[in-house]
Amino acid sequence: MDRMPLYLIIFQSIPETAILISLGLTLLGFKPKLKSVLVIASLESLVSFLVRGLPLPPGINVFLQLPVLIVLTACCCSLNLLDAALASLLSLVVLALTETVFNLLISAVSGIAVRQALEDPLLRLLFPLPEFAFLTVVIFILRHYNLALFDIRELKNLERLKGDEKQE
């Protein structure tokens, strides 16, 4: 059971979820609207708060929260469930890798262990900030230069064109 205080929901969970959604969708060639991202992030953070309050083993919360994130993303961004699932899973993997790298770097530079940061309310709030800043810059660069890891919209357009050619 990992009770999250309100300040962590507002200043950590909501921004992290907004970055997660924006990154996943951007990597797949979508350009989500900020309002949709903030609605999803707020609702998902509320779900996270509720799920973390349950007496579950550590890590199980992800398996409960991920389907909710997928459904919220599909509904709020007008996507099908497969696209929302791909975006959510891709961003979760990228976020986990980035978090691991940044946690190691920050621990090496500051001498503060991750466990110590998790136990101190101020450090728990400050520890992920460099990672959040980095990922936010990555998202802005990807969007500015129209870069995507795998542009699903373009793929669907190509499939539609092929379908049109076959009909002719």
Side-chain angles (χ1 to χ4, degrees):
M1 195 151 106
D2 179 25
R3 266 301 212 229
M4 287 182 71
L6 183 60
Y7 72 90
L8 279 180
I9 292 169
I10 294 170
F11 296 111
Q12 184 184 23
S13 186
I14 291 175
E16 181 177 49
T17 306
I19 289 169
L20 181 97
I21 296 158
S22 298
L23 181 63
L25 292 172
T26 302
L27 284 170
L28 293 180
F30 296 105
K31 294 193 176 187
K33 294 187 180 352
L34 181 60
K35 182 179 177 183
S36 297
V37 169
L38 292 177
V39 167
I40 297 165
S42 299
L43 292 172
E44 180 66 23
S45 294
L46 177 62
V47 169
S48 176
F49 173 76
L50 296 172
V51 168
R52 287 172 183 259
L54 298 173
L56 299 170
I60 297 298
N61 62 313
V62 174
F63 295 108
L64 297 175
Q65 290 173 236
L66 186 59
V68 175
L69 179 64
I70 291 167
V71 170
L72 286 173
T73 303
C75 292
C76 293
C77 296
S78 302
L79 300 174
N80 64 47
L81 285 174
L82 180 60
D83 292 346
L86 286 171
S88 299
L89 290 170
L90 176 62
S91 62
L92 197 60
V93 169
V94 172
L95 189 73
L97 292 172
T98 307
E99 186 173 313
T100 301
V101 169
F102 271 87
N103 283 348
L104 290 172
L105 286 171
I106 293 167
S107 290
V109 170
S110 69
I112 300 169
V114 175
R115 180 168 297 288
Q116 181 184 354
L118 290 174
E119 292 170 358
D120 181 301
L122 181 61
L123 289 177
R124 187 169 178 182
L125 188 64
L126 296 175
F127 216 71
L129 290 181
E131 172 198 353
F132 290 178
F134 171 78
L135 288 173
T136 301
V137 169
V138 168
I139 292 165
F140 280 123
I141 290 170
L142 291 171
R143 287 184 66 130
H144 181 75
Y145 291 104
N146 292 317
L147 299 173
L149 183 64
F150 183 73
D151 196 333
I152 288 181
R153 292 178 312 147
E154 188 67 30
L155 181 63
K156 288 181 180 182
N157 286 337
L158 288 173
E159 288 175 355
R160 197 174 308 124
L161 287 174
K162 284 183 181 180
D164 290 345
E165 287 175 3
K166 287 180 181 179
Q167 290 178 357
E168 293 174 2

